[in-house]
Amino acid sequence: MRHHYTDKKQASAYGPRLRIIERIGQACLTVWISVLIVLGVLWPDPYADVWQLVLKQMAGGRAVSVGAGLDQGFSRIFLLFQCSLQDIIILLLLYPLLVAGYRRIVEWHIVGPAIASIRAAAERHKSKIEPYGALGLMIFVFFPFWTTGALVGGVIGYLIGMRTRVTFAAVIIGNFLAVGAWIWLFDRMRTFSARLGSTMPWVILSVVLIIAVIAQVRALAKRRYLVKPTPPADEPRKED
């Protein structure tokens, strides 16, 4: 009886607005898959390998997908839409589950832990974003950290009581800006690497070594500061 009541409560929480968001996500996914199939058939080089970008973005994030896409010869405009739309479609599909069916979905053995981790990340960052509203949410999604993606941003917007339209607008704008920034950054890096030519690997190695030495010195200094020498105890006074 209690389980039936919980199901009815969750069903009512999954209201018409969330169902519309889910349907839009399904429609976007269908259209985008159709577009990718057509591109792969008409121009197999490089669009037949677009599935690799999808997997790399799911595993390593936007930066990995953009870097691999530029190396494989994908156009910058295509990468801007591919990487941005992938995150947005995932947001549209999973946002309703995270805000309405959270208690049920975390019990799934396969995706439950991942969903719980996303919700926990949103809870951690909520207090930092709330004072700044939509602008803070957009900047949060823009920054290239592991837990600052579109899906986490969408859940944060829900947790702080932001209107759904404002949440999605801030997240989508922030996501497009983030992908555009990665494309620009990788372009600059490729130009810089071409100018340096064969010296580029040595520059990278030198930077890595310098960072490692600095980190080691700081660790030793911190260790010495924490481990302070204990003063010797007073020797017992000898009786005459």
Side-chain angles (χ1 to χ4, degrees), residues 57 61-63 65-67 70 75-88 141-144 150 171-187:
Q57 184 162 341
R62 297 168 293 202
S65 181
V66 168
L70 290 174
S75 69
R76 290 154 183 78
I77 297 297
F78 174 81
L79 288 175
L80 177 64
F81 282 96
Q82 161 59 31
C83 298
S84 300
L85 288 177
Q86 181 170 334
D87 283 343
I88 293 169
V141 175
F142 173 81
F143 274 106
V171 169
I172 290 172
I173 293 173
N175 198 60
F176 268 96
L177 290 176
V179 175
W182 277 119
I183 294 173
W184 178 86
L185 178 62
F186 275 101
D187 270 342

Side-chain angles (χ1 to χ4, degrees), residues 32 35-41 43-57 64-83 86 179 182-184 186-187 190:
W32 190 237
V35 170
L36 295 181
I37 291 174
V38 171
L39 290 175
V41 171
W43 297 281
D45 185 22
Y47 294 104
D49 295 329
V50 72
W51 60 272
Q52 297 180 13
L53 300 184
V54 174
L55 294 180
K56 288 176 181 178
Q57 184 162 341
V64 176
S65 181
V66 168
L70 290 174
D71 289 338
Q72 291 177 249
F74 288 93
S75 69
R76 290 154 183 78
I77 297 297
F78 174 81
L79 288 175
L80 177 64
F81 282 96
Q82 161 59 31
C83 298
Q86 181 170 334
V179 175
W182 277 119
I183 294 173
W184 178 86
F186 275 101
D187 270 342
R190 287 156 67 92

